[in-house]
Amino acid sequence: MDSGRDDGLASELANLPLETRYPPFTLRQYAGFWLPEVTLARGLPAARDRFAPRPDDVLLASFPKSGTTWLKALAFATVRRAAHPPSSHDHPLRRRSPHDCVPFLEISLALADDMDAAAADLDALPSPRVLATHLPFSLLPVPGRLAAAAGRIVYVCRDPKDALVSSWLFTRKASENVGVDAGSFSLREAVELFCAGRGLSCPQWRHVVEYWEASRNEHHRVLFLRYEQMLRDPVGSLRTMAEFMGCAFSPEEEERGVDRAIAELCSMEELKNVEANRKGRTGSGVKADAFFRKGVAGDWSNHMTPEMGKMVDEAVKHGLRGSGFSF
Ligand code: A3P
């Protein structure tokens, strides 16, 4: 298998610009994005070297805290509905976290004790595989090869202020799990880092625009969804997604309400009450309940001052200038 463009990335790491203010990760700037060191040292090289894309793969992509968990649940339940009807009492999503049903490509590799075993686990997933990533489009495992050989990408984008607040709250909660005290990481600091394009996976606007442009250039390969639209019309969004993934709901399934049952199964209310999501930990060790908070649009205003909101709006507007994209 080819080794990709990243030969030596791990050894270059120490020379890349460093950001230590974002707990619990140390971030490095690579190819214009601020990513955790562990992603750059292990996850990205392994994703490029050891991951063999398949034409029927479905890759769920997102900037962190934009609705990934929900997207994972919806895609998994839709693609696997023949084996696991949404009404079944022992549906995997009633027993396991969506994060354990759909692995993150680069994160599962980055955190693996045994890289060979982790790569073999990805290989062993039945086709069509559903995988997830927070990687920017330009850093996907050999984008040319992905575009030519691999399947479809579903991207979910969210209002940056809501993603930022969600991320800040998640960081405080999830950092406890890994023994890091993020209590002194203030929202103002998080806002300042975000606006400087120096938070986790930032610049957020660039992350979004890359996928948005890809969806315009290759609309049959990249579907661009908005979290707020999914909240307004979950069933309509799910139908769009199913059709795009090549497993549209038949008229007969729609008649029987299979699509509505999947939307219901994956709703915040349902997933939040699953024991594995209330009490368990995901495979990467994070308490699963940290992934389910409010799940609404506009909650940022309950946490940020209007001035912080304005700072984010200005930074995003500036970052998006000339792109043709707006939130
Ligand atoms: P909030 O913190 O604003 O509530 P990610 O999955 O990318 O980590 O994003 C997490 C955000 O998605 C959190 O937002 C979380 O509450 C919300 N979320 C999780 N499951 C959801 C669901 N089933 N429906 C809607 N939103 C959901």
Side-chain angles (χ1 to χ4, degrees):
M1 192 172 290
D2 68 292
S3 60
R5 298 164 293 163
D6 46 26
D7 284 341
L9 171 55
S11 58
E12 265 179 44
L13 207 60
N15 299 322
L16 297 176
L18 176 69
E19 178 56 75
T20 56
R21 289 171 291 175
Y22 196 100
F25 306 109
T26 300
L27 306 179
R28 296 272 182 182
Q29 189 185 35
Y30 177 67
F33 287 95
W34 288 93
L35 301 174
E37 268 190 338
V38 65
T39 299
L40 292 170
R42 304 189 84 223
L44 184 57
R48 288 174 172 175
D49 291 348
R50 293 163 181 256
F51 170 65
R54 295 180 199 156
D56 56 359
D57 281 341
V58 174
L59 190 61
L60 310 175
S62 56
F63 180 83
K65 313 322 288 178
S66 299
T68 327
T69 313
W70 190 15
L71 195 64
K72 282 185 174 190
L74 290 168
F76 176 84
T78 302
V79 169
R80 297 268 176 268
R81 67 188 185 269
H84 304 294
S87 54
S88 71
H89 291 299
D90 68 342
H91 193 284
L93 288 169
R94 295 190 210 284
R95 292 181 276 112
R96 294 158 62 198
S97 157
H99 293 287
D100 292 337
C101 296
V102 177
F104 277 111
L105 175 59
E106 74 284 5
I107 301 176
S108 62
L109 292 168
L111 300 182
D113 290 330
D114 180 341
M115 191 72 90
D116 291 332
D121 285 349
L122 292 175
D123 268 344
L125 289 173
S127 290
R129 290 183 299 188
V130 186
L131 301 163
T133 186
H134 284 322
L135 289 174
F137 183 77
S138 55
L139 288 181
L140 287 179
V142 197
R145 188 175 62 174
L146 186 84
R152 301 169 172 95
I153 298 172
V154 181
Y155 186 77
V156 62
C157 127
R158 188 182 191 188
D159 177 325
K161 297 191 288 303
D162 281 333
L164 171 51
V165 162
S166 179
S167 175
W168 176 68
L169 291 168
F170 177 84
T171 293
R172 289 158 70 94
K173 195 160 180 176
S175 295
E176 286 167 18
N177 298 329
V178 289
V180 173
D181 177 13
S184 61
F185 181 51
S186 68
L187 181 54
R188 175 161 293 278
E189 263 181 297
V191 166
E192 284 170 5
L193 279 175
F194 184 95
C195 292
R198 295 176 73 101
L200 177 65
S201 298
C202 283
Q204 185 260 6
W205 47 87
R206 192 169 156 198
H207 201 285
V208 172
V209 164
E210 282 191 357
Y211 280 97
W212 178 73
E213 282 177 351
S215 75
R216 285 164 62 99
N217 296 336
E218 291 195 273
H219 58 92
H220 53 293
R221 291 210 180 274
V222 184
L223 176 67
F224 189 90
L225 296 176
R226 290 178 186 252
Y227 179 80
E228 295 76 16
Q229 173 60 21
M230 289 170 64
L231 285 177
R232 276 193 295 273
D233 181 11
V235 176
S237 304
L238 180 61
R239 287 180 183 167
T240 304
M241 219 170 118
E243 190 174 347
F244 174 81
M245 294 190 298
C247 53
F249 294 103
S250 66
E252 188 264 332
E253 282 183 307
E254 290 186 9
E255 176 85 10
R256 281 195 290 121
V258 175
D259 48 359
R260 292 192 296 281
I262 290 179
E264 178 65 26
L265 171 69
C266 301
S267 67
M268 180 65 134
E269 301 69 46
E270 284 291 317
L271 291 183
K272 212 174 182 169
N273 286 318
V274 167
E275 179 152 325
N277 294 331
R278 281 193 295 123
K279 300 188 179 159
R281 285 178 188 268
T282 66
S284 53
V286 180
K287 277 171 79 183
D289 69 347
F291 290 95
F292 304 93
R293 198 180 61 88
K294 276 195 178 170
V296 298
D299 187 49
W300 66 269
S301 63
N302 295 317
H303 298 272
M304 284 185 193
T305 61
E307 181 228 349
M308 290 181 194
K310 220 167 159 186
M311 276 171 71
V312 176
D313 286 342
E314 286 299 317
V316 171
K317 201 168 132 200
H318 184 262
L320 289 175
R321 198 163 290 162
S323 70
F325 178 82
S326 60
F327 282 98

